[in-house]
Amino acid sequence: MTGDLPKDWAAATPPELAADVPYSLGIGPFGSNLKVSDYRAEGVPLIFVRNIRSEVFGGSDSKFVSAAKAAELRPHWAEPGDVLITKMGDPPGDSTLYPLSAPSAVVTADCIKWRIHPAAGPPKYFVYAVRNVEVQQQIHGITKGVAQRKV
């Protein structure tokens, strides 16, 4: 693949493109670390697979956790400008940019957050890269499961 790259380009993996800060590439917490009983009507927002659709972040039926619970889940925080990717759903590997106007939030199970290193370029380009046909084929190639297919 590297032979197919334009001059002055280089191949890199997602971890190599992630920001040099702790937890810049990660998934939502294991199920027992975030339960429905932790949900609140207000507080720190939660990001679900249903919020990550076709390059647009959103959806209704917002859920939150307390500030104390969010602090426990610090490795799973998404910040404005992070790339969000689904691990499951239809399709797995869907992606969007967490809005620049949004507050810090906690990604839930089956969501991936990827904070791009500033030198790598604008994060929006990585949303497009994840949605590229070849990348989607790679994602589908590592997606397994019967009832719930997951990356």
Side-chain angles (χ1 to χ4, degrees):
M1 174 79 185
T2 57
D4 297 339
L5 295 174
K7 185 179 186 239
D8 297 328
W9 283 35
T13 64
E16 292 170 332
L17 294 166
D20 290 334
V21 296
Y23 315 117
S24 59
L25 179 62
I27 60 173
F30 184 71
S32 63
N33 293 329
L34 178 61
K35 302 177 188 124
V36 172
S37 60
D38 294 318
Y39 296 177
R40 301 288 179 263
E42 56 185 34
V44 177
L46 294 171
I47 298 171
F48 294 91
V49 168
R50 67 179 174 260
N51 301 125
I52 306 167
R53 288 290 166 233
S54 302
E55 300 176 36
V56 177
F57 181 84
S60 58
D61 192 28
S62 298
K63 305 285 186 216
F64 303 85
V65 292
S66 68
K69 185 62 181 182
E72 290 175 28
L73 300 171
R74 185 66 180 112
H76 310 285
W77 280 23
E79 300 294 342
D82 284 352
V83 175
L84 303 174
I85 305 166
T86 61
K87 284 182 54 183
M88 65 172 282
D90 188 22
D94 208 352
S95 61
T96 192
L97 190 68
Y98 191 50
L100 297 176
S101 61
S104 298
V106 176
V107 294
T108 61
D110 302 317
C111 298
I112 301 166
K113 60 95 182 234
W114 185 19
R115 188 160 307 130
I116 304 298
H117 192 286
K124 185 69 174 174
Y125 292 135
F126 293 90
V127 172
Y128 297 139
V130 171
R131 297 182 60 76
N132 176 279
V133 172
E134 287 91 9
V135 173
Q136 286 294 303
Q137 289 172 344
Q138 292 172 1
I139 289 170
H140 292 194
I142 60 171
T143 302
K144 306 286 184 226
V146 178
Q148 295 279 342
R149 293 177 47 87
K150 294 184 179 185
V151 175

